[in-house]
Amino acid sequence: MKIIEGGVCAAKGFKAGSVRCGVKESRTNDDTAIIFSECECTAAATYTMNRVKAAPLYVTMEHLEDGVARAIVANAGNANACAPDGMENARRMAKAAAQLLGVAETDVAVASTGVIGQRLNIECIEEHLPELVLEDNASEKANRAIMTTDTKPKTAAVEFTIGGKTCRIGGICKGSGMIHPNMGTMLSFITTDCAITHEMLTDALQENVKKTYNRVTVDGDTSTNDMCIVLANGMAGNTLIEWQDEEYQAFCKALNEVNTRLARQIAADGEGATKLVTCTVKNSRSEEAAERLAKAVVGSNLVKAAMFGADANWGRVLCAMGYSKAPFRPEYVSVAFESAAGSVAVCDKGAALDFDEELAKKVLSESEVTIAVDVNEGEDSATAWGCDLTYDYVKINGDYRT
Amino acid sequence: MKIIEGGVCAAKGFKAGSVRCGVKESRTNDDTAIIFSECECTAAATYTMNRVKAAPLYVTMEHLEDGVARAIVANAGNANACAPDGMENARRMAKAAAQLLGVAETDVAVASTGVIGQRLNIECIEEHLPELVLEDNASEKANRAIMTTDTKPKTAAVEFTIGGKTCRIGGICKGSGMIHPNMGTMLSFITTDCAITHEMLTDALQENVKKTYNRVTVDGDTSTNDMCIVLANGMAGNTLIEWQDEEYQAFCKALNEVNTRLARQIAADGEGATKLVTCTVKNSRSEEAAERLAKAVVGSNLVKAAMFGADANWGRVLCAMGYSKAPFRPEYVSVAFESAAGSVAVCDKGAALDFDEELAKKVLSESEVTIAVDVNEGEDSATAWGCDLTYDYVKINGDYRT
């Protein structure tokens, strides 16, 4: 497997584009993107588990019910959640894209991100979407069009081989705030030219989001709009993947690579974040327990604030593990902080270690920091990703709407 | 029932005192407090549900096993959690207090608060505790001695009548950070001169903490040291409360008044907080559902940051309800923001309302704000308390340990 450029346009037959429709008057850059496949795709998606779901999610569910699609249209600036005329406007958005692309309305998936509770200005989308031009290399352009408080685009792509055929998977996503995905993520769009059945694609996606996007937390708030869509157009020419065979595993491995890279980028670019905080938990009695522990650690406001202050306050790590509801024995736990600047063991079998505070400060001042936990009682492990809690998070969210 | 002064010394026969032992060198004010009853008390307590429990909790559990006690000794500056010699030092602390007071070591409850993972300097407590002087009106003095990042003492007391006898319940507590109590709270000490059996006292406390302290959240982090202790010395001379009769109900009502007042004070003085945020949920299909919804709202970082910015971002309220895992119908929900400055309805039956942004700003700029949610589908209700998320929370916790 090779890491390549090209994001959502890396796979054969996929184009993208974006345009400024004026969804939010104050926004001067593009706010609406389209991802398009030259031929029909097998499609799978996961959606937020939030009981309050935005209208575009229901429309996308309907349109993907037959397992096929051709395009995704997405806007930033308005979530179209709890909004007047929500369903009607989400449908009109799909229709506008379908007309531009010359495909059936039911072959278009719709996604939105932005403020909740305000009517989507669908008229401006209908007016300006026809100006959108599809290009072969517009992945980053489309990516930037769906950014809200994100500070950078988030992309990943890989090339791998199935039965002698070169296949590619690429994706773009947005994240930043209200990020605590549950069976989906805040808008992640993946394309692949691999030939794979709808059933296999769905299985691969469902399994993989649990270990990637669903292990990211920025602020513990699960959005109303989370969505991850994969389109597979089969243009790589590989023999159709129909079973959970070796080729399916190769596909899953590549998908995992792309999704893990995107998930890490979401965590690192969490609202106000200055650093990516990874928690690895090993030697747990089950993967589920390890996952709960790792997520509790990266989700703790107190751990996050300590990471911002580069403070090796490992008591907060144990405290967060303690309320995670996962089984473990405090007296078995060892903790170390690691980064490019080195590694510092701070707790051994539940007991404090004397450690070099200056080195710890240096380790925790890097832009990527790992909290390495060993629970010393089993063989399973899990990794979760988050970021630090900063003044800027408060600033961004103290007045996001206005 | 009458609200009175006196805190933990309000009830007959209770004295308190504090002294500076030097638990944390940098702290210049008192750091160790004692609450003492002239005669034997019935005692009940609740403890953190965190799997990682501090040593003093285990010692207090042992000492209260027989349902009686005479005193509480508590220190600030060190949590004695995951700390070397934890159990031994907690026992030595009880012993030092017992010697000073001339009571059995097993009649002393022990509590600690402060940094996790460092050895408690028990020697300085043993050296200086004998200097502590008990007084009739030292509730606030004792209260201040157990403060960490709290900005003010937290106290409440009531007077009520049982069978013609005047009874009192009073308490002090500390809170501020790592506040998301689960079956207890970060150090709450309640005294009463009411005569009540151990069984009834335990029932009353267990039931009541669920509706008071356990409905407070500052940062979602459940501490390793949460503890709520009630001492009842019977000096009011009322007929012993032995059953869940009318007199028991009167006692519970008074206890609820004291605990609710303390819980609100903990929320209002959350680390970095500028305001108390209350969420009331009414017309829910169960009290449990209402409680989950209310706690999710006051626990949401995004809601908290919006409250800091006095931003009427009600979409975040619905979003938090949506991921609370409690049943409700988004399309039935109405939301209003209320405070001393007025009331603004922002959402009616799941749909956005046009509202006066300027008035909303004024309403949300008060020091006590209520998010009033009506789920319009049942008859049960619940209230939860929290605070806003501010720059100061990040500042306090970015470098608390050093």
Side-chain angles (χ1 to χ4, degrees):
Chain A
M1 185 162 35
K2 204 169 76 182
I3 307 303
I4 58 170
E5 300 289 309
V8 85
C9 297
K12 266 186 215 141
F14 285 97
K15 291 182 196 302
S18 70
V19 67
R20 178 179 181 275
C21 293
V23 171
K24 200 174 167 185
E25 274 177 37
S26 58
R27 184 177 172 123
T28 53
N29 49 336
D30 288 0
D31 56 17
T32 309
I34 285 182
I35 297 163
F36 175 69
S37 168
E38 283 175 19
C39 60
E40 194 174 85
C41 301
T42 299
T46 61
Y47 308 92
T48 185
M49 289 294 281
N50 196 311
R51 190 175 282 263
V52 180
K53 288 179 182 63
L57 277 72
Y58 290 110
V59 172
T60 299
M61 285 177 204
E62 268 176 39
H63 290 186
L64 299 192
E65 217 170 8
D66 60 359
V68 298
R70 283 288 292 276
I72 302 167
V73 59
N75 74 278
N78 188 309
N80 194 13
C82 309
D85 313 321
M87 289 297 287
E88 189 196 325
N89 290 345
R91 284 191 216 287
R92 283 171 67 176
M93 195 163 143
K95 195 174 174 188
Q99 281 173 344
L100 171 69
L101 304 169
V103 302
E105 195 183 320
T106 53
D107 281 343
V108 179
V110 190
S112 296
T113 175
V115 67
I116 299 173
Q118 293 176 5
R119 185 180 180 277
L120 176 68
N121 184 346
I122 186 67
E123 291 75 16
C124 78
I125 294 177
E126 288 173 337
E127 188 185 340
H128 295 287
L129 201 60
E131 299 159 18
L132 185 147
V133 178
L134 292 171
E135 295 169 83
D136 284 334
N137 291 304
S139 178
E140 187 179 325
K141 190 165 182 279
N143 203 338
R144 287 186 183 276
I146 56 167
M147 281 163 55
T148 52
T149 51
D150 305 66
T151 67
K152 42 190 140 181
K154 296 165 187 69
T155 183
V158 297
E159 189 175 283
F160 57 109
T161 312
I162 287 189
K165 300 286 181 184
T166 299
C167 296
R168 290 173 164 191
I169 300 182
I172 57 172
C173 68
K174 73 161 301 294
S176 224
M178 211 177 258
I179 299 293
H180 186 78
N182 194 345
M183 287 308 288
T185 183
M186 193 64 183
L187 306 196
S188 176
F189 304 134
I190 313 290
T191 56
T192 178
D193 45 23
C194 189
I196 180 166
T197 65
H198 176 246
E199 201 189 341
M200 288 298 100
L201 188 63
T202 302
D203 283 2
L205 181 65
Q206 300 259 351
E207 265 315 295
N208 193 247
V209 294
K210 290 186 208 162
K211 305 197 178 192
T212 53
Y213 304 110
N214 287 6
R215 288 188 180 166
V216 170
T217 187
V218 166
D219 48 18
D221 281 84
T222 302
S223 161
T224 53
N225 288 51
D226 288 349
M227 193 176 344
C228 176
I229 306 178
V230 190
L231 300 181
N233 69 6
M235 286 180 74
N238 61 299
T239 313
L240 185 69
I241 299 175
E242 294 183 276
W243 311 103
Q244 296 207 353
D245 54 14
E246 226 173 86
E247 289 166 2
Y248 173 80
Q249 298 306 338
F251 178 80
C252 288
K253 205 177 145 198
L255 183 66
N256 181 59
E257 186 67 34
V258 169
N259 283 343
T260 300
R261 283 171 177 265
L262 291 174
R264 283 173 58 98
Q265 290 173 63
I266 291 176
D269 194 28
E271 282 181 335
T274 71
K275 62 189 72 166
L276 170 66
V277 179
T278 301
C279 179
T280 59
V281 172
K282 67 176 183 183
N283 298 321
S284 177
R285 65 181 83 169
S286 73
E287 186 180 345
E288 197 202 327
E291 181 181 351
R292 268 178 186 268
L293 293 168
K295 283 182 80 169
V297 171
V298 295
S300 157
N301 274 349
L302 287 170
V303 170
K304 288 157 64 74
M307 292 299 100
F308 174 54
D311 178 10
N313 198 328
W314 60 269
R316 294 180 181 171
V317 174
L318 261 83
C319 176
M321 292 171 64
Y323 63 72
S324 69
K325 299 196 173 92
F328 76 101
R329 300 199 189 173
E331 67 274 22
Y332 285 13
V333 175
S334 299
V335 180
F337 293 110
E338 300 168 354
S339 76
S343 171
V344 186
V346 288
C347 166
D348 182 47
K349 306 267 160 63
L353 288 174
D354 267 332
F355 61 91
D356 180 344
E357 290 273 1
E358 217 162 293
L359 175 60
K361 198 100 196 161
K362 250 169 88 177
V363 166
L364 295 178
S365 296
E366 292 289 314
S367 64
E368 296 195 6
V369 168
T370 296
I371 302 170
V373 175
D374 187 341
V375 292
N376 285 307
E377 54 167 12
E379 294 182 339
D380 287 311
S381 60
T383 297
W385 300 278
C387 59
D388 52 347
L389 176 63
T390 70
Y391 299 120
D392 279 353
Y393 178 84
V394 178
K395 190 173 176 183
I396 291 164
N397 287 302
D399 206 11
Y400 168 71
R401 206 174 44 103
T402 47
Chain B
M1 183 162 37
K2 204 170 76 184
I3 307 302
I4 59 171
E5 300 289 308
V8 85
C9 297
K12 266 185 215 143
F14 285 97
K15 292 180 195 301
S18 70
V19 66
R20 178 179 182 276
C21 293
V23 172
K24 200 173 165 185
E25 273 177 38
S26 58
R27 184 177 173 122
T28 54
N29 50 336
D30 288 359
D31 55 18
T32 309
I34 285 182
I35 297 164
F36 176 68
S37 167
E38 283 174 18
C39 60
E40 194 173 85
C41 301
T42 300
T46 60
Y47 308 92
T48 185
M49 290 294 280
N50 196 310
R51 190 175 281 263
V52 180
K53 288 180 182 64
L57 278 73
Y58 290 110
V59 171
T60 299
M61 285 177 204
E62 267 177 39
H63 290 185
L64 299 192
E65 216 172 10
D66 58 1
V68 298
R70 283 289 293 276
I72 301 167
V73 59
N75 73 277
N78 187 309
N80 194 14
C82 310
D85 312 322
M87 289 299 285
E88 189 196 327
N89 290 346
R91 283 191 217 287
R92 281 169 70 176
M93 196 164 142
K95 194 173 175 185
Q99 281 173 345
L100 171 69
L101 304 168
V103 301
E105 195 182 320
T106 52
D107 281 345
V108 179
V110 190
S112 297
T113 175
V115 67
I116 299 174
Q118 293 177 4
R119 186 181 179 277
L120 176 67
N121 183 348
I122 187 65
E123 291 76 16
C124 77
I125 295 177
E126 288 173 336
E127 187 184 340
H128 295 285
L129 200 61
E131 299 159 18
L132 185 148
V133 179
L134 291 170
E135 294 169 82
D136 284 335
N137 293 303
S139 178
E140 186 180 324
K141 189 166 184 278
N143 203 338
R144 288 188 183 276
I146 58 167
M147 281 162 57
T148 52
T149 50
D150 304 65
T151 67
K152 39 190 143 183
K154 295 165 188 70
T155 183
V158 297
E159 190 175 282
F160 58 108
T161 313
I162 288 190
K165 300 287 182 183
T166 300
C167 295
R168 292 174 163 190
I169 301 181
I172 56 173
C173 69
K174 74 162 300 294
S176 224
M178 211 177 258
I179 299 293
H180 187 78
N182 194 343
M183 286 306 288
T185 182
M186 193 64 183
L187 306 196
S188 175
F189 304 135
I190 314 290
T191 57
T192 178
D193 44 23
C194 189
I196 181 168
T197 64
H198 176 245
E199 200 188 340
M200 289 299 100
L201 188 63
T202 302
D203 282 1
L205 181 66
Q206 301 258 350
E207 264 315 295
N208 192 247
V209 294
K210 288 186 209 162
K211 304 196 178 192
T212 53
Y213 304 110
N214 288 5
R215 288 188 181 167
V216 171
T217 186
V218 167
D219 48 18
D221 281 84
T222 302
S223 160
T224 52
N225 287 51
D226 289 349
M227 192 174 348
C228 176
I229 306 178
V230 189
L231 300 181
N233 69 7
M235 285 179 76
N238 62 300
T239 313
L240 185 70
I241 299 175
E242 293 182 277
W243 311 103
Q244 296 205 353
D245 53 14
E246 228 173 85
E247 292 167 358
Y248 173 81
Q249 298 306 338
F251 177 80
C252 287
K253 205 177 143 198
L255 183 66
N256 181 60
E257 185 66 36
V258 169
N259 283 344
T260 300
R261 283 171 176 267
L262 291 174
R264 283 172 57 97
Q265 290 173 62
I266 291 175
D269 193 28
E271 282 180 338
T274 70
K275 63 188 70 167
L276 170 67
V277 179
T278 301
C279 179
T280 58
V281 173
K282 67 177 184 185
N283 299 322
S284 176
R285 65 181 83 169
S286 73
E287 186 180 345
E288 197 202 326
E291 180 181 352
R292 267 178 187 269
L293 293 169
K295 284 181 79 169
V297 171
V298 295
S300 157
N301 275 348
L302 287 170
V303 171
K304 288 157 64 72
M307 292 300 100
F308 174 54
D311 178 11
N313 198 326
W314 61 269
R316 293 180 182 172
V317 174
L318 260 84
C319 175
M321 292 171 64
Y323 63 71
S324 71
K325 299 195 175 93
F328 76 102
R329 298 198 191 173
E331 66 276 21
Y332 285 14
V333 175
S334 298
V335 180
F337 293 110
E338 301 169 352
S339 76
S343 172
V344 186
V346 289
C347 166
D348 182 47
K349 306 266 161 63
L353 289 174
D354 266 332
F355 62 90
D356 180 345
E357 290 272 2
E358 218 163 291
L359 175 61
K361 198 100 194 161
K362 249 169 88 178
V363 166
L364 294 177
S365 296
E366 291 289 314
S367 63
E368 296 194 6
V369 168
T370 297
I371 302 169
V373 175
D374 187 341
V375 292
N376 286 307
E377 54 166 12
E379 296 182 337
D380 286 310
S381 59
T383 298
W385 301 277
C387 59
D388 52 345
L389 176 63
T390 69
Y391 298 121
D392 279 353
Y393 178 85
V394 178
K395 189 171 177 185
I396 291 164
N397 288 302
D399 207 12
Y400 168 72
R401 207 173 45 103
T402 47

